[in-house]
Each structure stands twice: as structure tokens, then as C-alpha cells.
Amino acid sequence: MGVLSVPAAVRAILLDIEGTTTPIAFVKDTLFPYIRDNVQEYLRVHWEEEECQQDVSLLRKQAEEDSNLAGVVPIPPETGTREEDSERVIEAVVDNVHWQMSLDRKTTALKQLQGHIWKAAYTTGQVKGEVFEDVVPAIRKWREAGMKVYIYSSGSVEAQKLLFGYSTEGDILELFDGHFDTKIGHKVESESYKRIAASIGCSTDNILFLTDVTQEANAAEEADMHVAVVIRPGNAGLTDDEKSYYSLVTSFSELCLPSSP
């Protein structure tokens, strides 16, 4: 793509994760299949723990709210302490999780359990967060130039910190000044980007947002944020109009920071 000059007003760079810092394939082919393949074993091992029971209660409540949806799997309450009773509930939780994931749902209950399963996987070394090889050197360079760097992802802040804390490049959390998830607002809503700027303590005009999703780029631009669309292997293709409209980069190394005055 060549070189993209970062506007002089920019003081902070806001990064998406999936398809931007990290291959979409890692999320699609590693993280989510890990949940599907290991949720039953995780529940059996951690069933008596309070955190696990809280996760199950939240999923049960969500299943009740979903009772009018086709295919929903209800989660019965435990009626006693018998092992077969626990196993019956575990089977229902597993089926419910698989059902929600098949619909690509993002309920708080599902995300909370997924986060806890991933935490166990990361901390035991069964999973390592993948980042593109240009990411760490580029961010170090930006930080040396005085740039602040933040993450904004639909994945929870906890999941973000696990990915970067247990990455293929080691613990790289020190590279980020802060993390945002959809608690601050959805990524396709321009108000979310205004809230992020307010939280950082600068104007939206002082931020450059890098994402692979044009709807997100559009929302950020509506909030007067600078944007660039990232093209990575495995990302969705762009239309000719999108290619001509947006600033495009294929590597973080293509960003040219403004010279210090």
C-alpha cells in the first residue's frame, strides 16, 4: 500500500483486534472451537466453584429470557447433590452454549463463561494469543514517539488482556494505555467513539482508529476521528468504492508519524 502519513493532530492510536492486530483465523479457528471442544470438561472440573455456578446462573437466566426463540435449550435447576443431577445440568449448559455459538450470539452470559474458559486455557499455556509480526515493533516505535495506544474490541476487556498478556510475543500488555469494549457502546455507533475520546481526555480529532470493518470506520469518521482500514490475510474483501474512499494499510509499519516540531 505504501506509506500513510498520520495527521499532525493525532496523539493517540486506537486499535481493533480481530483482523487488525490479530488474524481473524485465530479467533475463528482457535478461540471459538476451543470453547466448543472444552466447555463440558471445563464445567466438570470447575462445577463446585462459585465463579462457575455464577456463570451457570447467568446462562440459565438468559435461557429463560430466550424461551420464545426457536431451538433454545433450557437449563434446569439442580434438584439435589447427586452426581447424575449435576451431569444432567452440565449437558444442558453445554447444549445451550453450542446453540448460542451456532447463532453467533454475544450475550453477556455467554461471553462471561467464554472468558473464564479462555482464561484457564491461556494461563495453562494451551492457547497463545496471535498477533501479526508487524504489530509489536510498530507500537513500540509509536510509543517512543510519544503516541498513546488503546484497544477497542467487541471482545471483553478481560478477553483482550488475556490475548495480549499470553501472546506469541509474550506479555505485551505494557504496550497499551487502555482497553475499551462494547460497555462503552457498540462499534458501529459514532457515539461510542466520542465516549472513548472523552475517556482518554482528548478530542476525537486527536485519535486515529485502525480497523478492518468499514462500518466501524464509518462510525468513527462520523465522530470526526481519523480512520484507516487495515487489509490482512483472511479479512473480508472491500468494494472498489471502499478502496478508493478509505486510507488503507496492510501493515502497521506503513504508518508514518508526524515529525516532532
Side-chain angles (χ1 to χ4, degrees):
M1 292 285 130
V3 172
L4 175 65
S5 294
V6 175
V10 170
R11 298 284 176 270
I13 297 176
L14 182 66
L15 302 172
D16 166 55
I17 293 179
E18 192 179 340
T20 300
T21 66
T22 297
I24 283 178
F26 170 69
V27 179
K28 229 173 45 186
D29 301 337
T30 299
L31 281 187
F32 285 113
Y34 186 89
I35 298 290
R36 281 191 290 270
D37 296 344
N38 292 278
V39 59
Q40 186 172 54
E41 181 61 19
Y42 174 87
L43 290 168
R44 284 174 175 161
V45 170
H46 299 276
W47 189 251
E48 301 299 331
E49 296 168 21
E50 188 181 346
E51 182 180 81
C52 186
Q53 285 303 312
Q54 287 172 349
D55 291 346
V56 171
S57 295
L58 213 54
L59 283 162
R60 185 180 288 117
K61 189 163 172 258
Q62 183 64 51
E64 288 165 7
E65 290 172 16
D66 292 339
S67 58
N68 59 336
L69 297 181
V72 64
V73 181
I75 299 171
E78 278 194 274
T79 54
T81 55
R82 295 192 329 276
E83 198 174 312
E84 60 265 33
D85 188 51
S86 298
E87 193 58 35
R88 181 176 59 90
V89 180
I90 287 171
E91 291 289 348
V93 174
V94 170
D95 289 345
N96 180 278
V97 166
H98 286 175
W99 171 73
Q100 288 202 60
M101 290 181 70
S102 72
L103 299 176
D104 196 28
R105 300 188 82 205
K106 303 279 194 270
T107 62
T108 300
L110 178 63
K111 281 164 75 170
Q112 183 169 300
L113 176 64
Q114 286 173 332
H116 292 146
I117 296 173
W118 284 326
K119 183 178 183 181
Y122 279 116
T123 54
T124 54
Q126 292 176 69
V127 171
K128 282 188 186 297
E130 287 181 33
V131 292
F132 289 108
E133 61 182 17
D134 56 274
V135 169
V136 172
I139 295 177
R140 289 198 195 284
K141 198 170 157 189
W142 299 344
R143 292 180 65 84
E144 282 165 18
M147 201 68 73
K148 300 279 192 185
V149 182
Y150 297 86
I151 294 289
Y152 181 29
S153 171
S154 54
S156 69
V157 167
E158 184 182 23
Q160 296 172 30
K161 289 182 173 179
L162 288 170
L163 193 157
F164 294 118
Y166 298 91
S167 86
T168 47
E169 303 289 326
D171 181 352
I172 54 172
L173 281 172
E174 63 178 21
L175 298 180
F176 306 108
D177 294 282
H179 297 257
F180 300 97
D181 57 21
T182 50
K183 283 181 182 168
I184 205 152
H186 290 289
K187 295 181 76 182
V188 294
E189 295 170 0
S190 61
E191 283 302 314
S192 306
Y193 298 89
K194 293 176 185 173
R195 289 188 202 110
I196 286 172
S199 175
I200 291 172
C202 65
S203 155
T204 50
D205 183 53
N206 299 135
I207 301 172
L208 169 65
F209 177 48
L210 300 183
T211 180
D212 63 308
V213 179
T214 54
Q215 295 96 315
E216 296 172 5
N218 187 48
E221 200 173 56
E222 278 180 16
D224 294 325
M225 212 173 259
H226 302 280
V227 299
V229 173
V230 183
I231 297 172
R232 297 287 200 183
N235 286 6
L238 302 178
T239 65
D240 288 341
D241 284 348
E242 287 169 340
K243 285 177 188 171
S244 60
Y245 180 78
Y246 291 105
S247 298
L248 308 174
V249 293
T250 59
S251 165
F252 285 6
S253 63
E254 292 167 11
L255 288 188
C256 179
L257 300 186
S259 303
S260 301

